[in-house]
Amino acid sequence: MKSFKSQSGKMFKRVLTFIVVFVIVCVAAFNWILNSSFATERIVAVILKKNLHDCTLEKITIGRQKFMYPGQLVLSDVHIQLNLKDDTFKINFKNVRFDGLNHLILMPAALQVYADGVSFESNQIKIPSAHLTVELLFRQWAMNRWQGNVALKDGEAYKYKIQNITADLKGNPRSLSVDNLKADFYQGNISGKIDLDWTKDVRFQSSVKFAGVNIGALKEVDDSVYGQIEGIIQGSISLGGTAHNFNTLSLKVNVTKDGRLNAAFLKFVLPYIPRTEESKKLQNLMKQGLKVPVEVANVDIRSIDEHKLSGAVNLGVRQINLNLNLPVDILYDGNLFSLIEWYRKLGK
């Protein structure tokens, strides 16, 4: 009987020892996962591959990772590279802090994210440093939607430079909306919103208002485009399409101050001017490559379908006694750059 009790006691001790060791190993493994950038890299890679079907994840690296009880995780020196067709997206985070990981035990739950030193670079867009605050909302162990705000000192898109940018963000794993966008833009300011969707293909829809913008300052972007006209402008532009083509466009521009126009740009109005002293004056100005003061300059065009733009141009040039309201129809192939090329040729 004593022998049986002795053997039972030894067995109980062994089982208890095994349980204690197992718990210690599990805790150690769990602690390693929480503080291991290796494990986090794999988890983030799986999430990105699941939600970004059109993009290929080239690499993801996390320099350092630290977990603080009960639910805070800090990542440092995070680098992500994505490939989309002929473009490469490089996204870097100096520091990222996640608050509320312990809340994910119960659903629905919210996870707070704070990121500093966020940079983004692609073929046409560059953001050197931004601050990002986001709330991720989870339901049934999957991120359902998210919202937050972003602030950055400067950025560049398609060679256009923007400063002091702030915006509200909201979205889900398949879309992003940038609302209440505000920024300084070439001595003026812009405001508006941008919607992105990558459910099937990357598509965008933007609506932006601008005021006090100095066209002369835009010469550094493309002198052949902005060198044809001078002045302070205001207006709005709505543009929608894909990364390579657009199918909706609405543009309204009004020169509000110090308007000057390349005389050669007015060659399309010659048929509307009688053979008078004014037409001869305009032709002389065109030959000399000079600019003429413009008292009135309004442009209002919009897309009729995916191949045609239509609208009107209103010009008032006192120097040549011109007051013209001219209907305009433009055929295009859906490529924004071909439309810019059409405009560039007008002044030649």
Side-chain angles (χ1 to χ4, degrees), residues 45-58 82-85 89 172-175 197-202:
V46 170
I47 295 173
L48 290 176
K49 289 178 180 179
K50 180 180 179 181
N51 292 287
L52 300 176
H53 299 295
D54 294 325
C55 292
T56 302
L57 178 63
E58 185 69 21
L82 304 171
N83 293 334
L84 175 62
K85 296 181 180 179
F89 302 145
N172 57 52
R174 296 288 189 273
S175 66
D197 187 286
W198 51 89
T199 302
K200 294 182 179 179
D201 192 7
V202 178

Side-chain angles (χ1 to χ4, degrees), residues 134-135 145-149 167-172 175-179 193-196 198:
V134 175
E135 181 182 50
R145 57 191 176 88
W146 56 279
Q147 60 190 26
N149 55 73
D168 296 329
L169 308 173
K170 62 180 179 181
N172 57 52
S175 66
L176 165 65
S177 291
V178 182
D179 295 321
K193 67 174 298 182
I194 302 171
D195 294 320
L196 295 171
W198 51 89

Side-chain angles (χ1 to χ4, degrees), residues 112-126:
Q112 308 296 325
V113 183
Y114 307 91
D116 286 315
V118 183
S119 67
F120 177 90
E121 182 178 348
S122 68
N123 290 345
Q124 300 293 346
I125 300 175
K126 295 180 181 179

Side-chain angles (χ1 to χ4, degrees), residues 31-295:
N31 184 69
W32 176 81
I33 291 173
L34 291 176
N35 289 279
S36 169
S37 59
F38 176 84
T40 303
E41 288 172 3
R42 273 53 187 179
I43 294 171
V44 174
V46 170
I47 295 173
L48 290 176
K49 289 178 180 179
K50 180 180 179 181
N51 292 287
L52 300 176
H53 299 295
D54 294 325
C55 292
T56 302
L57 178 63
E58 185 69 21
K59 72 172 183 177
I60 174 172
T61 60
I62 300 174
R64 294 181 300 278
Q65 178 171 319
K66 183 178 181 180
F67 176 77
M68 287 164 280
Y69 183 83
Q72 186 179 95
L73 181 67
V74 179
L75 308 178
S76 301
D77 298 325
V78 181
H79 305 283
I80 300 173
Q81 181 172 318
L82 304 171
N83 293 334
L84 175 62
K85 296 181 180 179
D86 56 350
D87 205 350
T88 298
F89 302 145
K90 296 180 180 179
I91 309 168
N92 303 310
F93 301 84
K94 186 177 181 181
N95 292 294
V96 187
R97 188 179 88 236
F98 299 87
D99 288 347
L101 288 172
N102 52 314
H103 298 157
L104 296 180
I105 298 174
L106 300 175
M107 291 289 150
L111 183 65
Q112 308 296 325
V113 183
Y114 307 91
D116 286 315
V118 183
S119 67
F120 177 90
E121 182 178 348
S122 68
N123 290 345
Q124 300 293 346
I125 300 175
K126 295 180 181 179
I127 298 174
S129 182
H131 175 78
L132 183 67
T133 300
V134 175
E135 181 182 50
L136 306 178
L137 303 174
F138 289 82
R139 186 181 298 273
Q140 297 180 351
W141 295 98
M143 188 180 70
N144 183 44
R145 57 191 176 88
W146 56 279
Q147 60 190 26
N149 55 73
V150 64
L152 55 149
K153 186 176 180 180
D154 54 64
E156 182 177 313
Y158 297 90
K159 298 183 180 180
Y160 293 89
K161 296 178 180 179
I162 313 173
Q163 293 83 35
N164 303 318
I165 308 163
T166 60
D168 296 329
L169 308 173
K170 62 180 179 181
N172 57 52
R174 296 288 189 273
S175 66
L176 165 65
S177 291
V178 182
D179 295 321
N180 298 319
L181 172 65
K182 296 179 181 179
D184 295 334
F185 186 73
Y186 293 94
Q187 303 176 22
N189 59 79
I190 61 175
S191 62
K193 67 174 298 182
I194 302 171
D195 294 320
L196 295 171
D197 187 286
W198 51 89
T199 302
K200 294 182 179 179
D201 192 7
V202 178
R203 302 190 63 82
F204 75 94
Q205 182 67 49
S206 62
S207 177
V208 176
K209 294 181 180 180
F210 50 90
V213 176
N214 187 343
I215 297 181
L218 285 162
K219 289 181 180 180
E220 65 179 40
V221 178
D222 192 334
D223 184 63
S224 64
V225 172
Y226 299 105
Q228 300 189 48
I229 188 169
E230 298 175 1
I232 308 300
I233 62 171
Q234 68 177 19
S236 64
I237 180 171
S238 296
L239 190 66
T242 67
H244 302 285
N245 296 285
F246 69 95
N247 48 38
T248 60
L249 169 68
S250 175
L251 174 64
K252 294 182 180 181
V253 182
N254 178 31
V255 178
T256 61
K257 183 180 178 183
D258 301 329
R260 292 179 62 82
L261 185 66
N262 185 353
F265 195 70
L266 293 173
K267 63 183 179 182
F268 72 94
V269 305
L270 282 175
Y272 303 90
I273 301 177
R275 292 291 179 177
T276 61
E277 194 66 32
E278 283 77 13
S279 65
K280 294 179 181 178
K281 186 184 295 184
L282 175 57
Q283 289 176 343
N284 289 332
L285 292 170
M286 291 170 59
K287 290 178 181 179
Q288 298 175 55
L290 299 178
K291 288 186 173 68
V292 295
V294 177
E295 287 70 38

